[in-house]
Amino acid sequence: MKFSVKNVAEPLIFFVALLALWEVLVEFFRVPAFILPPPGDLYVAFTAKFYILYKHAMVTFIEAVGGFTLSFILGVAFAVGVVYSRHLQNTIYPLIVILYAMPKSAFAPLMVIWIGYGLYSKIAIAFLVAFFPIVVNTVVGLKEVEPELLDLARINKGSEFDIFRKIRLPNSLPYMFAGIKVAIVLSVTGAIVAEFVAANEGLGYLILQANYSLDTALALVILLILAFLSLALFIGVEVLQRKLAPWSAEVRQIEGSF
Amino acid sequence: MRDSSPAAQNDTIVTWDPRVPLLIDIQDVLKIFKSAVKTVHALDHISFEVHEGDFVSLVGPSGCGKSTLLKIISGLLPATSGKVSVNGKAVDAPLDNVGMVFQSPVLLKWKTVIGNVMLPVEFARLEKPPYLEKARSLLRLVGLEGFEEMYPHELSGGMQQRVSLCRALVTDPEILLMDEPFGALDAMTRDELDLELLRIWDGKRKTVLFVTHNIQEAVFLSDTVIVMSPRPGRVIRKLGIDLPRPRAMEMMSAGKFGEYTLQIRAMLASSSGTPGAAVGSTT
């Protein structure tokens, strides 16, 4: 996407108009604030509770990034294992597929029993939701190698490790990043859902608190913060991808959604 | 039929210079692919010889097993039966003295031009500096000087294929196996690369096995054209091409050239069972 004046100005004007319309309509129809507060209330809530919001956002951030990091390390390692080991492919992979078919957020209550009330059960759920897109995309990237390249390696007596390091791994990077982009956003969702189930800190917990006290403005502010958080993580990955795998644009992107 | 006339028969006799040693010896090679679903008879009792420094083309319709044959010769694929030997040694493992060029350039997107040319050197764990020098001179030879640090996507299809030719030559292999290397290029770029290939071959005297379905290209490049039948691939005829070297594009319009292409076309048409059927393209 190019950042021309038109590209920036158009959505900006649209959003301002939307906010204005929101403010006017809420006033006009006398919508109660606990149903839909005017945007001005959101701003007030944000500034008044800034410190609390920041504190809880940090908790959710750590949970999401922690879960994501874990899923990245284990996901890539597992993908490599599946590609190289027929045994792993025949034994653990089907198990993983069954696990995938389960709604991961439904594990949240169990995680509380297994891991406890604190940070780690949230990291575990964030990990669970982020794990699959990384595994599936990385497996595809490691496998989708032109067979002629493998011939070339064999003719020149390249070792299996050389093929991995010089061909398969770099080849998988664009795919891996496609998976990472899905995973990092999902990990935020995972952390929030886990907080809904049982927590005493984090933005998910805060949304519930706001709901109990019918503080709709605060709940909406938190949603916006979550959007901002996910977007920031996504853009961070995008920047990293351009640095580490600039050839990704040449690869047909499969935005994996496994 | 044209190829049964006495004059045509004479053309097909390939006389080897006895002083030129035998390099590749293919005897009675048979290849059958078996899978749970079906059995494919790919190659049927193929026999021919290639001498050192020869330029030999394999011509035949798509799916006649030309590429399979190249793989068997390079040792990447075992034959079901029959014997392939190179330099008097039976081929039972991937050869290390061959360079390969494929139909698509298959360059690594994340490596520069020079990095791609050096890939075989990296795989073979050879000492880099002398080969780096060689890679640069090869790139100069094919007119890619100044493109060393560029990435494949910044090059045209013809340039990419030139890079892949350099990659095949960098370890200075004895044999060059080329599997329809210029088939995906436009006619003009292909002519250009054919000439370039001959120039390189003239200078380095590699032995080249060249798979193509383009009859004119085969005649233009080769000392010998091996004409193959549709699957299961058999050798219909080994045709010696008696045209002076170095070859030039003008020869394509000379009488003898036309005779060779007509002859091959007739062989291919009669072997496919439909006389006059267009087998391969001659553009």
Side-chain angles (χ1 to χ4, degrees):
Chain A
M1 198 166 67
K2 286 222 174 75
F3 286 98
S4 67
V5 176
K6 204 181 162 197
N7 272 342
V8 176
E10 214 172 302
L12 211 65
I13 291 168
F14 176 71
F15 274 117
V16 170
L18 207 63
L19 286 176
L21 193 69
W22 176 358
E23 184 91 42
V24 169
L25 286 181
V26 165
E27 285 296 317
F28 184 79
F29 290 107
R30 297 175 185 284
V31 179
F34 69 88
I35 303 252
L36 188 63
D41 283 15
L42 267 63
Y43 178 73
V44 173
F46 178 67
T47 45
K49 304 218 165 83
F50 182 79
Y51 179 69
I52 292 172
L53 285 167
Y54 169 77
K55 208 181 74 182
H56 289 278
M58 277 316 285
V59 171
T60 303
F61 178 79
I62 288 167
E63 290 164 359
V65 171
F68 165 78
T69 309
L70 205 61
S71 72
F72 173 72
I73 295 168
L74 294 179
V76 171
F78 183 67
V80 172
V82 164
V83 168
Y84 278 95
S85 161
R86 191 169 282 275
H87 297 301
L88 225 74
Q89 198 166 3
N90 287 341
T91 55
I92 313 255
Y93 202 59
L95 200 73
I96 294 281
V97 170
I98 293 171
L99 200 64
Y100 164 69
M102 299 175 182
K104 266 72 63 187
S105 38
F107 274 93
L110 273 176
M111 284 299 171
V112 177
I113 297 175
W114 288 342
I115 305 177
Y117 200 65
L119 207 61
Y120 295 122
S121 60
K122 319 300 179 289
I123 289 180
I125 295 299
F127 158 76
L128 268 185
V129 295
F131 182 66
F132 299 96
I134 291 180
V135 169
V136 171
N137 283 288
T138 308
V139 166
V140 171
L142 288 170
K143 280 188 171 172
E144 207 116 295
V145 168
E146 285 146 317
E148 289 93 341
L149 279 174
L150 303 181
D151 286 348
L152 205 69
R154 286 177 62 200
I155 283 290
N156 293 290
K157 306 269 185 284
S159 66
E160 201 52 55
F161 182 64
D162 271 345
I163 292 176
F164 174 71
R165 203 167 45 119
K166 292 184 201 293
I167 296 179
R168 287 196 194 275
L169 195 61
N171 188 69
S172 76
L173 279 185
Y175 299 84
M176 206 189 282
F177 269 108
I180 288 174
K181 282 191 223 166
V182 174
I184 197 126
V185 174
L186 280 181
S187 67
V188 176
T189 312
I192 292 293
V193 170
E195 286 169 1
F196 280 170
V197 172
N200 53 14
E201 51 182 353
L203 289 178
Y205 160 81
L206 208 58
I207 285 185
L208 286 187
Q209 294 307 308
N211 261 25
Y212 296 149
S213 53
L214 292 183
D215 191 349
T216 312
L218 183 64
L220 287 173
V221 166
I222 294 170
L223 276 177
L224 286 175
I225 291 174
L226 283 171
F228 180 78
L229 188 68
S230 298
L231 211 60
L233 287 170
F234 185 89
I235 290 170
V237 173
E238 180 81 37
V239 168
L240 209 62
Q241 177 173 17
R242 282 193 193 166
K243 234 178 137 70
L244 294 179
W247 65 92
S248 297
E250 264 69 59
V251 179
R252 185 178 52 88
Q253 288 276 334
I254 41 130
E255 290 292 341
S257 52
F258 200 91
Chain B
M1 248 183 355
R2 165 175 292 273
D3 56 320
S4 57
S5 70
Q9 283 292 12
N10 280 343
D11 276 342
T12 65
I13 294 169
V14 182
T15 46
W16 302 111
D17 184 338
R19 286 165 300 178
V20 179
L22 185 67
L23 185 62
I24 306 172
D25 188 12
I26 297 157
Q27 274 179 36
D28 222 22
V29 164
L30 193 85
K31 181 69 190 177
I32 295 169
F33 290 103
K34 268 192 185 141
S35 75
V37 195
K38 59 175 181 178
T39 303
V40 176
H41 197 163
L43 293 171
D44 192 17
H45 299 285
I46 302 271
S47 298
F48 63 88
E49 299 163 344
V50 179
H51 290 247
E52 231 176 87
D54 272 349
F55 200 120
V56 176
S57 285
L58 295 166
V59 185
S62 310
C64 74
K66 303 176 297 243
S67 307
T68 306
L69 187 55
L70 280 199
K71 280 202 165 187
I72 291 174
I73 294 169
S74 64
L76 287 168
L77 200 69
T80 307
S81 72
K83 214 182 85 192
V84 176
S85 42
V86 171
N87 272 330
K89 251 191 79 207
V91 175
D92 51 8
L95 294 175
D96 53 8
N97 58 342
V98 300
M100 298 183 87
V101 183
F102 310 97
Q103 183 169 10
S104 59
V106 284
L107 301 175
L108 301 179
K109 301 171 199 76
W110 52 90
K111 283 204 180 248
T112 57
V113 165
I114 192 91
N116 269 292
V117 175
M118 289 292 284
L119 191 66
V121 177
E122 280 186 39
F123 277 135
R125 298 181 187 283
L126 300 167
E127 208 187 321
K128 274 191 192 173
Y131 285 98
L132 207 59
E133 205 39 58
K134 188 148 185 0
R136 284 184 199 288
S137 83
L138 278 169
L139 286 169
R140 210 174 308 130
L141 194 66
V142 299
L144 284 178
E145 195 172 14
F147 290 88
E148 290 87 348
E149 301 306 321
M150 285 199 164
Y151 285 88
H153 74 267
E154 298 171 291
L155 308 181
S156 69
M159 288 157 104
Q160 290 186 15
Q161 203 53 287
R162 284 185 168 95
V163 174
S164 106
L165 182 60
C166 292
R167 180 181 60 189
L169 289 168
V170 73
T171 52
D172 210 10
E174 255 183 298
I175 304 166
L176 205 51
L177 300 177
M178 308 184 79
D179 191 356
E180 296 187 32
F182 310 139
L185 302 174
D186 63 86
M188 267 155 63
T189 311
R190 176 196 302 186
D191 285 351
E192 223 175 90
L193 278 164
D194 281 343
L195 281 172
E196 217 152 273
L197 176 62
L198 282 185
R199 198 160 51 80
I200 291 169
W201 174 76
D202 257 340
K204 299 190 186 286
R205 281 289 154 181
K206 304 278 175 210
T207 305
V208 181
L209 250 174
F210 192 95
V211 165
T212 180
H213 53 239
N214 185 312
I215 297 169
Q216 286 191 311
E217 187 180 40
V219 173
F220 179 69
L221 293 173
S222 316
D223 300 314
T224 306
V225 175
I226 292 173
V227 185
M228 287 175 70
S229 71
R231 200 162 60 209
R234 283 173 294 107
V235 173
I236 303 176
R237 185 72 51 90
K238 297 162 211 169
L239 186 68
I241 305 295
D242 186 20
L243 291 171
R245 300 242 185 220
R247 303 265 164 92
M249 280 291 155
E250 299 83 66
M251 289 179 192
M252 285 203 181
S253 47
K256 219 167 175 183
F257 191 95
E259 265 174 48
Y260 283 130
T261 56
L262 273 174
Q263 229 177 311
I264 294 172
R265 189 184 298 266
M267 289 176 213
L268 287 169
S270 63
S271 79
S272 70
T274 44
V279 179
S281 117
T282 56
T283 49

